[in-house]
Amino acid sequence: MITIGQLAAYAGVTIKAVRHYHKLGLLEEPSRDSSGYRRYTAEHAIHLLKIKTLAEAGVPLGRVKELLAADPDQVAAAMAEIDRSLEMRVRELRRTRQRIARLSGGDRLFVSAEVADYLDDLRELGVSERGVRLERDGWILLQSVSPKNAAVWIAEKRVAIGDPEFRALYLEYDSAYDWSPDDPRLPALAERAQRWLVKRPDRVEGGPPLRDPALVQLVSSSTGSRSPAWDRLAEIGREQRS
Amino acid sequence: MITIGQLAAYAGVTIKAVRHYHKLGLLEEPSRDSSGYRRYTAEHAIHLLKIKTLAEAGVPLGRVKELLAADPDQVAAAMAEIDRSLEMRVRELRRTRQRIARLSGGDRLFVSAEVADYLDDLRELGVSERGVRLERDGWILLQSVSPKNAAVWIAEKRVAIGDPEFRALYLEYDSAYDWSPDDPRLPALAERAQRWLVKRPDRVEGGPPLRDPALVQLVSSSTGSRSPAWDRLAEIGREQRS
DNA sequence: CTTGACATTGACCCAAGGTCAGGGTTCGAA
DNA sequence: TTCGAACCCTGACCTTGGGTCAATGTCAAG
């Protein structure tokens, strides 16, 4: 006849856990000795080890109770299922490990692979880090507002980036961020952008009716990172279209 | 500017979780719009994804908070540590899987490998299943009362089982379980056992002073599975020694 | 103008125990 | 035999990471 402390040590659980299992009706309350101490037998030890093994596998205590009362056939089936879920958890943990490894790295954690590729293209093109970050933040917002539209638009963008005129425009817009709103180059840039928008390659089939300027506006207005020159460019654009 | 619902959907967490993170000071409270709704930016989305990734890896939210405030060097070090603990959890899960697989199987889950081997020896010797179970339960109790002594004693037992006289005695004790306490064979059996105990091979070095009868008593008295004949055998033994 | 989806705060609930308080018991050593 | 250490008892509250419910406010579309 062993005490609760010895039982707990044998099974590798705490005394508190043993009493918890009693309260849940998982482990039979043993008889008490003359001073009211619980006195356990080997049966209890075996039972407790079963409970512990199942609990360690992540089986909720409620189910552990069922399982221990069920007949062997059911137990075997449940074991197989538990094993499958355990395997899944192992796979998930491994995936998380990879993401953790990349956390301190690039943008691929925050945007879809397509967008990340596009951002890489921009970096290669020579766009400033600030510009790339602005784009990235725009896509994050876009993906959260409308993942479907974002997928269509990124496809369009990846086509556009193949156009030398678009690339040139993008770079100029990028550097225009720091210009004064009175800079004489702004009207010409706005007009050139407008021309490109009108005669640009056909849009992807089934694309939404929303125009790029809306995206630009969303991005620039939302991230809080807008520049006087860009505001002026948008203004000129509106004037030209009206 | 996105709403809490859009932010939560983007990061793959619930709205409740986002507010929970605010309460814990994990995620900065964004500004509210005119109607008091929270309005988030891409920065929040990125921050939230970081939190989610770390939380999924099992990092407590308290530590997540520290990590996000720490400088990159510390973060990198912490990541490495988290990765290690993740790896350990994967290994543990694999071990648990194996134990789960063996749960419905033999005794190896309940006793040490040495004891399990010893029990297998007994089975091979022809000891009854009841007898093996009694031994097993005795070892479980013993291991819980005093793992150190149990280890020494099992070593002794595994030496003794090599002795033909011990094997013969064990088998006779095993069958004596069912005898009447008045059976005429009992005194002879008790005497034979006594002789073996006296002249048996030298005990393992550093062994404790406790004698085997104490073990027998513990086992038989504790499992609740005692037999009249065994009680009588113990009594005769005490008489002989006095 | 209503309806349905979404937002707000606050309060309570869950597993699986941990911790603390305020006692009683047992055992070995002095 | 008496002391201290190490056990044991119950009961009540604390923890983490949220879920659920309630009562109320707001938004956008038909």
Side-chain angles (χ1 to χ4, degrees):
Chain A
M1 292 301 209
I2 57 177
T3 68
I4 195 171
Q6 288 166 334
L7 177 79
Y10 172 77
V13 307
T14 64
I15 292 177
K16 195 64 218 278
V18 174
R19 291 204 273 247
H20 191 53
Y21 296 156
H22 284 321
K23 210 171 299 179
L24 298 187
L26 253 166
L27 185 64
E28 194 198 357
E29 276 271 5
S31 47
R32 309 291 183 113
D33 67 12
S34 60
S35 60
Y37 288 12
R38 294 177 180 86
R39 291 298 181 155
Y40 296 86
T41 70
E43 309 292 327
H44 289 103
I46 290 174
H47 212 85
L48 179 54
L49 269 179
K50 287 183 184 173
I51 294 169
K52 187 207 169 199
T53 304
L54 289 171
E56 264 178 2
V59 181
L61 296 191
R63 279 212 66 202
V64 170
K65 190 175 177 182
E66 292 169 31
L67 276 187
L68 292 177
D71 64 281
D73 280 8
Q74 284 176 294
V75 173
M79 291 293 179
E81 198 207 307
I82 290 166
D83 190 72
R84 265 199 305 283
S85 85
L86 236 46
E87 211 183 329
M88 262 181 46
R89 286 223 326 246
V90 167
R91 269 207 293 277
E92 248 170 56
L93 277 185
R94 274 207 283 262
R95 264 210 307 279
T96 303
R97 276 188 66 187
Q98 290 175 352
R99 269 194 298 169
I100 288 272
R102 253 181 271 157
L103 233 195
S104 30
D107 299 318
R108 301 199 108 77
L109 180 60
F110 309 122
V111 291
S112 68
E114 290 76 25
V115 173
D117 287 347
Y118 175 64
L119 294 178
D120 284 345
D121 288 347
L122 292 182
R123 269 192 205 91
E124 209 176 325
L125 184 61
V127 174
S128 68
E129 260 315 303
R130 179 207 58 216
V132 173
R133 191 169 48 72
L134 251 44
E135 272 276 350
R136 184 199 66 181
D137 288 1
W139 288 107
I140 288 174
L141 252 22
L142 215 54
Q143 286 187 346
S144 68
V145 171
S146 168
K148 264 177 74 175
N149 282 350
V152 174
W153 287 336
I154 188 61
E156 279 182 23
K157 279 282 194 175
R158 300 195 64 189
V159 169
I161 199 89
D163 179 353
E165 172 65 3
F166 178 83
R167 288 205 298 273
L169 264 172
Y170 201 114
L171 281 175
E172 188 138 358
Y173 251 94
D174 184 39
S175 42
Y177 185 95
D178 300 314
W179 295 352
S180 145
D182 309 318
D183 194 293
R185 289 168 294 183
L186 284 179
L189 174 56
E191 196 187 341
R192 194 174 157 199
Q194 196 59 34
R195 265 204 308 279
W196 182 84
L197 251 148
V198 171
K199 76 160 187 47
R200 69 173 162 173
D202 267 345
R203 313 197 59 191
V204 171
E205 288 289 324
L210 203 62
R211 301 249 134 206
D212 260 352
L215 179 146
V216 170
Q217 198 184 354
L218 172 68
V219 173
S220 58
S221 77
S222 62
T223 61
S225 306
R226 42 204 292 193
S227 91
W230 279 14
D231 286 351
R232 179 71 190 125
L233 273 173
E235 198 182 326
I236 298 173
R238 274 194 299 280
E239 284 166 11
Q240 286 176 344
R241 277 195 301 282
S242 63
Chain B
M1 289 302 210
I2 57 177
T3 68
I4 195 171
Q6 288 167 334
L7 177 78
Y10 173 75
V13 304
T14 64
I15 292 178
K16 194 63 215 280
V18 173
R19 291 205 274 248
H20 192 53
Y21 297 155
H22 284 321
K23 210 172 299 178
L24 297 187
L26 254 168
L27 185 63
E28 194 197 357
E29 278 271 5
S31 47
R32 310 289 182 113
D33 66 12
S34 58
S35 61
Y37 286 14
R38 293 178 178 86
R39 291 300 181 153
Y40 296 88
T41 70
E43 308 292 328
H44 288 104
I46 290 174
H47 213 83
L48 180 55
L49 269 178
K50 286 184 183 173
I51 294 169
K52 188 206 169 198
T53 303
L54 289 171
E56 264 177 3
V59 181
L61 295 190
R63 280 213 64 202
V64 170
K65 189 175 177 182
E66 292 169 30
L67 278 187
L68 292 176
D71 65 279
D73 280 9
Q74 285 176 291
V75 173
M79 291 293 180
E81 199 206 308
I82 290 166
D83 190 72
R84 264 199 305 284
S85 85
L86 238 45
E87 211 182 329
M88 262 181 46
R89 273 188 22 209
V90 167
R91 269 207 293 277
E92 250 169 55
L93 277 184
R94 275 206 282 263
R95 264 211 307 278
T96 302
R97 276 188 66 188
Q98 289 175 352
R99 269 193 296 168
I100 289 267
R102 253 181 271 157
L103 234 194
S104 30
D107 300 318
R108 301 199 108 79
L109 180 60
F110 308 123
V111 292
S112 69
E114 289 77 24
V115 173
D117 287 346
Y118 175 64
L119 295 178
D120 284 344
D121 288 347
L122 291 182
R123 270 194 205 90
E124 209 176 326
L125 184 62
V127 174
S128 67
E129 261 314 304
R130 180 207 57 214
V132 174
R133 192 169 45 73
L134 250 45
E135 272 276 350
R136 184 200 65 181
D137 287 2
W139 287 107
I140 289 174
L141 254 20
L142 215 55
Q143 286 186 346
S144 69
V145 171
S146 168
K148 264 177 75 174
N149 282 349
V152 174
W153 287 336
I154 189 60
E156 279 183 25
K157 280 283 195 175
R158 300 195 66 187
V159 169
I161 200 87
D163 179 351
E165 173 65 3
F166 178 83
R167 288 205 298 273
L169 265 171
Y170 201 114
L171 282 175
E172 189 139 356
Y173 252 92
D174 185 37
S175 42
Y177 185 93
D178 299 316
W179 295 352
S180 145
D182 308 319
D183 195 291
R185 290 167 293 182
L186 284 179
L189 175 55
E191 198 189 336
R192 195 174 157 200
Q194 196 60 35
R195 266 205 307 279
W196 183 84
L197 250 148
V198 170
K199 75 162 187 45
R200 68 175 163 172
D202 268 345
R203 314 197 57 191
V204 172
E205 289 287 325
L210 203 61
R211 302 247 134 205
D212 260 353
L215 179 145
V216 170
Q217 200 185 352
L218 172 66
V219 173
S220 58
S221 78
S222 62
T223 61
S225 306
R226 41 204 295 191
S227 92
W230 278 14
D231 287 350
R232 178 73 190 123
L233 273 173
E235 199 183 321
I236 299 173
R238 275 195 298 280
E239 283 165 12
Q240 285 177 344
R241 278 194 300 280
S242 65

